[in-house]
Amino acid sequence: MSTITILKRLAPFETMLSSNWKTQMLSWLTGQHLQPTYAEYLSLNQALQKGDTAMDQVIVWMMQNPKLHRQYFETALFKGLDQLAKPIPELNAFFSTVQTLPDWVDQGKIEQALNFTHRLGINNGFILRDLSLMSGYLYPGFNQPLLLTGALKKQAGTRLAETTKWWIDITETRGLERFNAGFTSTLYVRFIHALVRHQLKKSERWDAQTWGTPINQFDLAMTNIAFSGVVLIGIRALGIFPNQDEVDSFLHFWKYIGWLMGVDEKWLVHKESDGWKLLYWMQHAHPQSDHSSFELGSSLSKEPFERQYRYLKPLQQKLAYRQHLEVTQFFIGRQKMQKLGLKHRSAAWFAYYLIARNVVLYTSAKYSPKLSQRLQHRGRNIQKLGLALYQSKAKQLASMHQ
């Protein structure tokens, strides 16, 4: 009989079964028990120790001749399998899977999700940066690959520009078609994840008994939820109330992105309540915040001072710094801000301004197609302008995967 090894990062099963008024309320809201069954607990433990099987196999093949095989992979990714001099079974197997849309993908929902995303305008960026990313740093399991690969030494603006460029690519109309930037950049990020996973698993510095597999299935799934379910929570807090069709299409879009990124379908959510359940589990799958939380949070908070504003640069940098701190404070509170090395503000004034603005604009847009269309057009332009704040970085990233 094999022995089951429970990772140190994962709380005991008995702890996850504990209940209080918060868990009871969330269980009522989601219509299900948040606490896992023992089978689900073991599945979570297993997911923390599993990588991306399909891409990991590509990396094993690539390491037989790293330089040449990487060229073959990039040729197949950006130009197609037919551009290779001869068939390569490992690449044929991988690309035949990712180039075939899953039966459940609905292109109508993908298009609806893009329109909805564009209408969110600047709100999406504030939530991803000041809620999803900042609160993610509170969980050390996410931070370990950054620490051990030296990514912490990158300026926060560089890391943010990389993520923003990828997000812009995937949310472009037709961006997920086979040779368009959204599709290819997602698979390239997946490739880099697998490469990092391969290197860290060999490193003596990686503590597998504590952290499991680097960039594992559960952490990948929770990152996907940070872009989907957490954004839906955030926009409501900021005064934007989507209808059920918008929610369903938005989750559907990110389910497909998660699938492309190598997340097993069992960890992809199609209902908000499933995402909330996994968010509850996540709190028990990480130890308390540590020095990495402090370093990453503090670094991200100062990122506005790296921005290249065209006019009144010092003034706009200081203003953006304060605005982001106020939005973060609104979402996570002063106590968690301290764990991230952030200075609290007297009040979250900018968040209150966004709420008032959004309630008026987005409520009115429900009754005015013209206003809704204007929000969509202007919102997308603002989203693209965000990348331009990192002028030199944006130019490098523009041709990153071509």
Side-chain angles (χ1 to χ4, degrees), residues 314-326:
L315 179 62
Q316 291 208 67
Q317 287 176 333
K318 290 178 182 178
L319 181 61
Y321 170 72
R322 292 173 181 173
Q323 288 174 342
H324 284 297
L325 282 180
E326 289 175 4

Side-chain angles (χ1 to χ4, degrees), residues 263-312:
V263 181
D264 291 346
E265 286 196 32
K266 68 177 292 183
W267 296 108
L268 295 173
V269 304
H270 64 277
K271 294 189 304 182
E272 269 196 282
S273 57
D274 292 336
W276 296 348
K277 183 175 183 177
L278 294 182
L279 285 168
Y280 172 75
W281 289 7
M282 181 184 71
Q283 299 174 59
H284 298 281
H286 295 264
Q288 293 294 315
S289 54
D290 59 15
H291 67 94
S292 65
S293 305
F294 192 96
E295 289 183 58
L296 285 163
S298 178
S299 176
L300 180 59
S301 73
K302 297 169 185 172
E303 167 273 324
F305 295 105
E306 300 174 38
R307 297 181 183 180
Q308 303 300 312
Y309 291 103
R310 292 183 64 184
Y311 307 107
L312 302 173

Side-chain angles (χ1 to χ4, degrees), residues 106-114 245 248-250 252-253:
D106 183 331
Q107 292 290 1
K109 287 186 175 181
I110 298 292
E111 183 177 350
Q112 185 179 7
L114 293 178
D245 285 344
D248 291 343
S249 65
F250 190 70
H252 186 81
F253 172 82

Side-chain angles (χ1 to χ4, degrees), residues 21-34 276:
W21 69 269
K22 291 181 181 178
T23 58
Q24 291 171 5
M25 180 176 290
L26 283 172
S27 293
W28 178 76
L29 287 172
T30 60
Q32 60 184 327
H33 290 294
L34 290 183
W276 296 348

Side-chain angles (χ1 to χ4, degrees), residues 93-112:
F94 177 78
F95 282 101
S96 65
T97 299
V98 297
Q99 290 175 175
T100 304
L101 280 176
D103 294 338
W104 46 263
V105 171
D106 183 331
Q107 292 290 1
K109 287 186 175 181
I110 298 292
E111 183 177 350
Q112 185 179 7

